[in-house]
Amino acid sequence: MSKKISRIFAAAIDVFSKFGFEKAKMDLIAEKAKVAKGTIYYHFKSKEEIFFSLIEEGINQLIQLLNEGTKPLSSGKEKLEKAIEIQVNYIFDYKDFTKILLSEVWGSEERQIRFRELLQKLLKLLQNYIEQGIQEGDYRQRDLELTASSIFGIISVTSLHTLLGQLNYTPEQITEHVQSMIEESLKK
Amino acid sequence: MSKKISRIFAAAIDVFSKFGFEKAKMDLIAEKAKVAKGTIYYHFKSKEEIFFSLIEEGINQLIQLLNEGTKPLSSGKEKLEKAIEIQVNYIFDYKDFTKILLSEVWGSEERQIRFRELLQKLLKLLQNYIEQGIQEGDYRQRDLELTASSIFGIISVTSLHTLLGQLNYTPEQITEHVQSMIEESLKK
Amino acid sequence: MSKKISRIFAAAIDVFSKFGFEKAKMDLIAEKAKVAKGTIYYHFKSKEEIFFSLIEEGINQLIQLLNEGTKPLSSGKEKLEKAIEIQVNYIFDYKDFTKILLSEVWGSEERQIRFRELLQKLLKLLQNYIEQGIQEGDYRQRDLELTASSIFGIISVTSLHTLLGQLNYTPEQITEHVQSMIEESLKK
Amino acid sequence: MSKKISRIFAAAIDVFSKFGFEKAKMDLIAEKAKVAKGTIYYHFKSKEEIFFSLIEEGINQLIQLLNEGTKPLSSGKEKLEKAIEIQVNYIFDYKDFTKILLSEVWGSEERQIRFRELLQKLLKLLQNYIEQGIQEGDYRQRDLELTASSIFGIISVTSLHTLLGQLNYTPEQITEHVQSMIEESLKK
DNA sequence: CATGAATGAGGGTTCATTCAT
DNA sequence: AATGAATGAACCCTCATTCAT
C-alpha cells in the first residue's frame, strides 16, 4: 500500500473518530494526510467508500487476531476467554477505530447495513467458541446467537464507557470482569 | 403542552429515528408536524435542543417506569429482574426512540455528552438494585459500575440487533435470556 | 410572479446567453439578480430547471406572438410572411434568448431533447400556414416537415450570423430576404 | 501521423460528439484511445486544442471534397447543386462530426469564434458558385452573403433534425429537397 | 516518447437558522 | 403565536492540467 494511501487511512480514522461520519470533512482528512483533496478521490470513490474500507480493514484485522490468538488453544472455554481478552485489548489499542465502529453501526444507511454484515463474521466466531464449549460439557445449553450478541454487548459497552470517560478501568480489569461474568452465566 | 408542540415532538421522533440526527431535516419535521418551519424555531432554540428535549423526555419516562414498576417490590433481586423486563419492553414499545437513543449516545459532540449524563441516572438505578441484592445476600460481590454497564450493554445490543433485523426474537425471549444470564453471573 | 423571481430570470438569461449552459455559474446569476444563491434554489429545483423554464417561457411567448400576429390574416401566404417577420423581429428583440435557444438545441442531454420537443410546436405552426397556402392554391406541393424545418433554418442561421457579428444586416433586410426566398421557392 | 495520435483523434470525435465539448472528459478520451492521459497532453496543448484541431481537419476535409467535386463542373448552377449534395452526404457520412460542428458553432467562446472563421471559408465557396450562376444568367441578383448563409442554414437544420431523430428522411431526399428549394428561389 | 499519480481551484447543491410580516 | 421566503456558509466531488519518473 502506497505511503499516501496509508496517510489517508490514518487521517480518516482520526477524523471519523473525532467527528463521526456525517460531520467529518474531507478537507480535514486531506489536510491531516498532507495530500490534496483530489488525491483522496483518486484513490477512493467517495467518502462512504473510504469509510467502509476503513471499517472492513479494522474488523478483518480483529478477526485475524482472534483466529491467530485462539489457534493454539484447544477447548472452547479457553478460546472464548482468550477472545474476550483480545477484543478488549484491541478496543483499547485502537480506541479511535472502536469509537467509529460502535457509534456508526446502528442506523439504516446503506453503509451501516453493510457494516453490520461484517460484524456478523465476528459474532459467528464467538458462537463457534461457545458451541464448542457446550459440546465439551463446560457450558450449559444456551441460545448461541443471543449469547454471542450479549458478549459483544458487554465488551463494547463497558469498554466504550471507559474510553468515553464515564468509567475508569484498565483493560485488564475489564477483561477480568467480562470473563468472570460470562464464565458464571455459562458454566454448568 | 400545546397541540403544535406535541405534533412537532411526534414528527421529530419519527424523523430522527429514520434518519439519525445529522441527516434529519428540519423541513421534513415541519412538514410531518404540519407546521411552518419557523414555528419550530418559535418553540425550540435549535435542532439540537429539540433533539435533546426528546431524549430527555424519553429517558425520564423510562426512569419513571422503572421507579413505578419496582416500587411494589421489596428485594433487590426482584427489582433487577423487573427492571430488565421493563427496559426490554420499553425498547420494543418505542423502537424509534431506542434507535435514536442507541445510535446517538456514542460520540464526542456536546449533545452526546449531555446525553450520556442522562443515561447515568438510569445506570445508577440498576446499581442500586444490584447493591441491595448484594446486601441481602442474593448476589455475590461485584463491581457495581461495571456490572450495571454490562447489563445495559446486554439489553441494548441484543434488543437492537433484533430490532435491526439481524436477530429474530420476541421481547419475552430476550427478557428471559437476559434475566437468566444476569442471575447466573450474580448469584452466589 | 414575484420581483425576485423576475430578477433571477433576467439574470439567468443574461448569464446563460453569455456563457452557455455549462459555463454559466449559479454564483454569477445570483449576484446579477442581487439575491443569495440559496434563494435561487428556493424557487428552482436546479440549474437545469431554471434553464428549461426560461426556454419554455421564451418559446411560448414567441408562439403567442405568432398566434396573435397571424390571427387577423386570412390566407396562409399572408400568415407565413407575417410569421417570418415576427420571428426575425423576435430574434433581434431578444438576442440573448435566441443565442441560448440556438446554441443549446442540438445535443443529446435530457434537457436538450425536451427542448426540441418545445420547438416542434413552433414548427407545427409554420407547417399549418404552408399547408393552408397549398390548399389555397398559392403554394406548390412540398414536403411540409422539410419545408418548415428549412424556413426555421434560414431564419435562425442568417439572424444568428448577423447577431454574432459575421454579417451586417437589419432585421428588415433579413425579413425581406427570407420572405422573398421562401416565396420564390413555394409559389406555383 | 502516428498511430496514437490517430487513436486520440478518433476517440475525441467519438466523445465530443456524444457529450459536447464541456461534458467531454479527457479521461474518457484517453481510455477510448487506449493511451495514458498524459500522452494526450504530450501531443496536444489542451482540451481546446484537440477540439479545434478536430474541427479544422473536418472542415478542411469538407472543403477539399467540395473543391474536388466541383472541379469537373463548369457552370455555377451545376457547382451549387453538387455542393449541396456533397454537404448533405458529408453530414450523413460523418454524423458525429456534424453534431459537434453544429452544436458548438454558436457561442462567444474564443474557440467558437475561431471556429466560425473556418466556416467562412466554406460559405465563401458557396458564394462563389452563386456569383458565377448570376453572371452566367442562370440566377437572379441576390445578396450573396445572405443567400450562402441561408443555404447553409437549410442544409444544416434539416439534416440535423433528421440525424437527431425528429425527422425521417434519407440524404437523397434532403438533397433533392434543398436543391429544389434553392433552385426555385434563385432562378430567374 | 509515454505514463498515471497527484493536484487544487472551482461549482452545484444543501439546510439550519433568521426575520419581516 | 405563527409563517415561509430568504439567506449564505459549508461541503462533496469533478476534472483539466502538471510533472517526476
Side-chain angles (χ1 to χ4, degrees):
Chain A
M1 192 162 54
S2 99
K3 203 128 198 178
K4 291 206 172 164
I5 294 182
S6 302
R7 289 213 310 270
I8 292 170
F9 255 102
I13 289 183
D14 186 15
V15 173
F16 280 131
S17 79
K18 272 208 186 64
F19 300 98
F21 180 81
E22 299 289 350
K23 298 205 76 175
K25 313 302 176 212
M26 296 303 269
D27 277 294
L28 186 54
I29 294 177
E31 190 187 312
K32 293 213 174 198
K34 288 184 205 296
V35 297
K37 212 188 333 181
T39 306
I40 300 182
Y41 284 90
Y42 185 77
H43 293 289
F44 299 91
K45 220 172 88 282
S46 64
K47 190 181 177 184
E48 291 242 329
E49 202 205 89
I50 193 176
F51 180 78
F52 190 74
S53 303
L54 225 62
I55 298 295
E56 194 174 27
E57 190 162 288
I59 292 185
N60 286 336
Q61 192 187 334
L62 173 54
I63 287 176
Q64 204 190 332
L65 285 178
L66 286 175
N67 282 330
E68 285 173 2
T70 58
K71 193 181 286 172
L73 306 174
S74 47
S75 75
K77 186 166 175 298
E78 286 172 309
K79 286 180 181 172
L80 185 58
E81 281 171 357
K82 185 69 180 172
I84 290 169
E85 182 196 335
I86 291 172
Q87 282 182 79
V88 173
N89 286 334
Y90 187 87
I91 289 177
F92 276 77
D93 285 349
Y94 302 96
K95 294 179 221 252
D96 285 344
F97 173 74
T98 316
K99 263 159 78 173
I100 301 175
L101 183 73
L102 287 166
S103 52
E104 300 282 346
V105 233
W106 327 102
S108 325
E109 298 283 303
E110 167 65 15
R111 75 172 182 284
Q112 293 167 316
I113 292 168
R114 286 174 67 199
F115 199 156
R116 263 174 263 140
E117 286 164 9
L118 282 179
L119 263 187
Q120 293 297 342
K121 293 203 292 184
L122 198 154
L123 290 177
K124 195 75 183 79
L125 283 186
L126 296 182
Q127 287 181 34
N128 292 342
Y129 305 149
I130 299 167
E131 192 170 20
Q132 190 186 339
I134 293 173
Q135 284 165 358
E136 290 165 356
D138 289 324
Y139 291 154
R140 71 176 64 182
Q141 200 69 35
R142 274 214 182 274
D143 184 290
L144 290 179
E145 288 185 320
L146 278 180
T147 308
S149 195
S150 299
I151 295 174
F152 178 75
I154 299 178
I155 297 176
S156 336
V157 171
T158 53
S159 302
L160 249 194
H161 260 213
T162 303
L163 287 179
L164 289 171
Q166 243 86 15
L167 299 179
N168 190 22
Y169 297 96
T170 65
E172 289 73 25
Q173 288 174 301
I174 293 179
T175 298
E176 158 64 21
H177 167 85
V178 178
Q179 284 174 338
S180 159
M181 274 199 76
I182 296 307
E183 166 64 10
E184 291 300 326
S185 67
L186 283 182
K187 78 162 181 223
K188 270 192 157 158
Chain B
M1 191 165 50
S2 99
K3 202 121 199 182
K4 290 201 175 173
I5 295 182
S6 303
R7 288 213 308 272
I8 292 171
F9 255 102
I13 289 184
D14 187 16
V15 174
F16 280 130
S17 78
K18 272 206 187 65
F19 301 99
F21 179 79
E22 298 292 349
K23 298 206 78 177
K25 315 287 180 244
M26 297 301 271
D27 278 285
L28 186 54
I29 294 176
E31 188 188 314
K32 292 212 175 200
K34 289 182 204 296
V35 297
K37 216 185 339 177
T39 307
I40 298 182
Y41 282 88
Y42 184 80
H43 294 287
F44 299 90
K45 213 171 97 276
S46 66
K47 189 183 177 183
E48 292 241 329
E49 198 204 272
I50 194 176
F51 183 75
F52 190 74
S53 304
L54 223 64
I55 298 296
E56 192 174 30
E57 188 164 290
I59 291 184
N60 285 336
Q61 191 186 335
L62 173 54
I63 287 176
Q64 202 189 331
L65 285 177
L66 286 175
N67 282 331
E68 285 173 3
T70 57
K71 191 179 291 172
L73 305 174
S74 48
S75 75
K77 187 167 177 296
E78 285 172 310
K79 286 179 182 172
L80 185 58
E81 281 172 358
K82 186 66 180 175
I84 292 170
E85 183 194 335
I86 290 172
Q87 282 182 80
V88 172
N89 286 334
Y90 186 87
I91 290 177
F92 275 76
D93 286 348
Y94 302 96
K95 293 179 219 249
D96 284 347
F97 173 74
T98 317
K99 261 158 78 173
I100 301 174
L101 183 71
L102 287 167
S103 51
E104 300 282 346
V105 235
W106 327 101
S108 328
E109 299 282 302
E110 167 65 15
R111 74 171 184 285
Q112 293 166 317
I113 292 167
R114 287 174 65 200
F115 203 156
R116 263 175 262 138
E117 287 163 7
L118 281 178
L119 265 186
Q120 293 298 342
K121 293 203 289 184
L122 198 154
L123 290 177
K124 194 73 182 84
L125 283 185
L126 297 183
Q127 287 180 34
N128 292 342
Y129 305 148
I130 300 166
E131 192 169 21
Q132 190 186 337
I134 293 173
Q135 283 164 1
E136 289 165 357
D138 288 325
Y139 292 155
R140 71 175 64 181
Q141 200 68 37
R142 271 214 182 275
D143 184 289
L144 291 179
E145 286 185 321
L146 277 181
T147 310
S149 194
S150 299
I151 295 174
F152 179 75
I154 299 180
I155 296 177
S156 334
V157 170
T158 53
S159 301
L160 251 193
H161 258 214
T162 304
L163 288 179
L164 289 171
Q166 241 87 15
L167 297 180
N168 189 24
Y169 297 97
T170 65
E172 289 75 26
Q173 288 175 301
I174 292 179
T175 299
E176 158 65 21
H177 167 85
V178 179
Q179 285 174 340
S180 158
M181 275 199 76
I182 296 306
E183 166 65 11
E184 292 300 326
S185 67
L186 284 182
K187 78 167 181 214
K188 270 190 157 158
Chain C
M1 192 162 54
S2 99
K3 204 124 194 182
K4 292 207 172 163
I5 294 183
S6 300
R7 289 214 308 272
I8 292 170
F9 254 100
I13 289 184
D14 187 17
V15 174
F16 280 132
S17 78
K18 273 207 188 62
F19 301 98
F21 180 80
E22 299 290 350
K23 299 205 77 177
K25 313 299 176 212
M26 295 303 271
D27 277 293
L28 186 54
I29 294 177
E31 188 187 314
K32 294 211 174 202
K34 289 182 203 296
V35 297
K37 212 180 348 172
T39 306
I40 300 182
Y41 283 90
Y42 183 76
H43 293 288
F44 299 91
K45 220 172 88 280
S46 64
K47 189 182 178 185
E48 291 241 328
E49 202 206 88
I50 194 175
F51 181 78
F52 192 74
S53 304
L54 225 62
I55 298 296
E56 195 174 27
E57 190 163 288
I59 292 185
N60 286 336
Q61 192 186 336
L62 173 54
I63 286 176
Q64 203 189 331
L65 286 179
L66 286 175
N67 282 330
E68 284 172 2
T70 57
K71 193 181 288 172
L73 306 174
S74 47
S75 75
K77 186 167 176 295
E78 285 172 310
K79 287 179 181 171
L80 186 57
E81 281 171 358
K82 185 69 179 174
I84 291 170
E85 182 196 334
I86 291 172
Q87 283 183 77
V88 172
N89 286 333
Y90 186 87
I91 289 177
F92 276 77
D93 285 349
Y94 302 96
K95 295 179 221 254
D96 284 347
F97 172 75
T98 315
K99 263 159 78 175
I100 300 174
L101 183 72
L102 287 166
S103 52
E104 298 283 344
V105 235
W106 326 102
S108 327
E109 297 284 299
E110 167 66 14
R111 74 171 184 284
Q112 293 167 317
I113 292 166
R114 286 174 66 200
F115 200 157
R116 264 175 261 140
E117 286 163 9
L118 281 179
L119 264 187
Q120 294 297 341
K121 294 202 291 185
L122 199 153
L123 290 177
K124 194 76 182 79
L125 283 186
L126 297 183
Q127 287 180 34
N128 292 342
Y129 305 147
I130 300 167
E131 192 170 21
Q132 191 186 338
I134 294 174
Q135 282 165 358
E136 289 165 355
D138 289 325
Y139 291 154
R140 72 176 63 184
Q141 201 68 36
R142 271 214 182 275
D143 184 290
L144 292 179
E145 288 185 321
L146 278 181
T147 308
S149 195
S150 300
I151 294 175
F152 179 76
I154 298 179
I155 297 176
S156 338
V157 170
T158 52
S159 301
L160 251 193
H161 259 213
T162 304
L163 288 178
L164 290 170
Q166 242 85 14
L167 298 180
N168 189 23
Y169 297 97
T170 65
E172 289 74 26
Q173 288 174 303
I174 292 179
T175 299
E176 158 65 21
H177 167 85
V178 178
Q179 284 175 339
S180 157
M181 274 199 75
I182 297 305
E183 166 64 11
E184 292 301 323
S185 68
L186 284 182
K187 78 166 181 215
K188 270 192 156 158
Chain D
M1 191 164 51
S2 98
K3 202 121 197 183
K4 289 202 175 173
I5 294 183
S6 303
R7 287 214 309 271
I8 292 171
F9 255 101
I13 289 186
D14 188 16
V15 173
F16 280 130
S17 78
K18 273 208 187 62
F19 300 99
F21 179 79
E22 298 291 350
K23 300 207 76 179
K25 316 287 181 244
M26 297 301 271
D27 279 284
L28 186 54
I29 294 176
E31 188 188 313
K32 292 211 175 200
K34 289 181 203 297
V35 296
K37 215 184 342 176
T39 307
I40 299 183
Y41 283 89
Y42 184 80
H43 292 289
F44 299 90
K45 211 173 96 276
S46 66
K47 189 183 177 185
E48 291 241 330
E49 199 203 272
I50 193 175
F51 183 76
F52 191 74
S53 304
L54 222 63
I55 297 296
E56 194 173 28
E57 188 165 290
I59 291 184
N60 285 336
Q61 190 187 338
L62 173 55
I63 287 174
Q64 202 190 335
L65 285 178
L66 286 174
N67 283 330
E68 285 173 2
T70 57
K71 191 180 289 173
L73 305 174
S74 48
S75 76
K77 187 167 176 295
E78 284 171 312
K79 286 180 181 171
L80 185 58
E81 282 172 357
K82 186 67 180 176
I84 291 170
E85 181 194 333
I86 290 172
Q87 282 183 77
V88 173
N89 285 334
Y90 186 87
I91 290 177
F92 277 77
D93 285 348
Y94 302 96
K95 294 179 221 251
D96 284 347
F97 172 75
T98 317
K99 264 160 76 174
I100 302 174
L101 181 72
L102 286 167
S103 51
E104 300 282 345
V105 233
W106 327 102
S108 327
E109 299 282 301
E110 168 65 14
R111 74 171 184 285
Q112 293 166 317
I113 292 167
R114 287 173 67 200
F115 201 158
R116 262 174 263 137
E117 286 162 10
L118 280 180
L119 265 187
Q120 293 298 340
K121 294 202 289 184
L122 198 154
L123 290 176
K124 196 74 182 82
L125 284 187
L126 296 183
Q127 287 179 33
N128 293 342
Y129 305 149
I130 299 166
E131 192 170 20
Q132 189 185 344
I134 292 173
Q135 284 164 358
E136 291 165 354
D138 289 323
Y139 291 154
R140 71 176 63 185
Q141 199 68 36
R142 272 213 182 276
D143 184 289
L144 290 179
E145 288 186 320
L146 278 180
T147 308
S149 194
S150 299
I151 294 174
F152 179 75
I154 299 180
I155 296 176
S156 334
V157 170
T158 53
S159 300
L160 250 193
H161 259 214
T162 303
L163 287 179
L164 289 170
Q166 241 86 13
L167 298 179
N168 190 24
Y169 297 97
T170 63
E172 288 74 25
Q173 288 175 302
I174 292 179
T175 298
E176 157 66 23
H177 167 87
V178 178
Q179 285 174 338
S180 157
M181 274 199 75
I182 296 307
E183 165 66 11
E184 291 300 324
S185 67
L186 284 182
K187 80 167 180 213
K188 271 191 156 158

